[in-house]
Amino acid sequence: MEKEMTACVWIGSRCMMTLQGHEAAVWAVQMMPEHGLMLTGSADKTIKLWKAGTCQRTFTGHSDCVRGLAVLSAVEFVSSSNDGTIRRWLSTGECLQVYTGHTSFIYSIATLPNEGGGFVSVGEDRTLRIWKGGECFQTITLPAQSIWSVTCLNNGDIVTGSR
């Protein structure tokens, strides 16, 4: 299997575990709160849940590449995609909600600290969107060509990386 279709779990400078099973490049990874559970998102339009190197579940629903993952709780996470949607998932496999609003690829997604399920997303449409209570709470258009990454600091600040 080609290296671009895998994710490696690194300890120091050694790859201790290789996660194989995606049919295209792996573009997103995230750890779940339960010890040993990992998520990967891929250009093959799927998300996989892994435990001890074995795929436990495959999540389908996005119609294009999965670009970002963010964990909301021990049993919920969100994914962002080139299809312009965000999906909220239960770790059991059920899609709870599909969020729309971005007008192009959504490159990155991150949870808001102390917001109980709130998150932010950024993408090709030059917007940062803040999502609370199941809907878009605020949209900020940045003076950039596209926004590639986002993270939230513990003090509530939102940081983006853009072109």
Side-chain angles (χ1 to χ4, degrees), residues 62 72 76-81 83-89 95-102 106 109 117-119 121 129-137:
H62 283 295
L72 300 175
E76 285 186 57
F77 67 93
V78 287
S79 59
S80 62
S81 170
D83 66 12
T85 68
I86 296 165
R87 290 178 178 263
R88 185 182 199 121
W89 304 91
C95 180
L96 298 175
Q97 186 170 357
V98 178
Y99 301 83
T100 59
H102 281 279
I106 305 171
I109 193 164
F119 57 91
S121 59
R129 293 176 188 259
I130 301 171
W131 304 85
K132 295 181 181 179
E135 59 187 47
C136 185
F137 176 77

Side-chain angles (χ1 to χ4, degrees), residues 29 34 45 64 66 68 71 80 87 91 111 113 115 126 132 137-138 140 146 161:
V29 295
E34 184 180 320
K45 307 174 191 174
D64 206 335
V66 176
V71 174
S80 62
R87 290 178 178 263
S91 58
T111 55
E115 286 295 333
R126 303 176 329 141
K132 295 181 181 179
F137 176 77
Q138 184 176 6
I140 302 167
S146 57

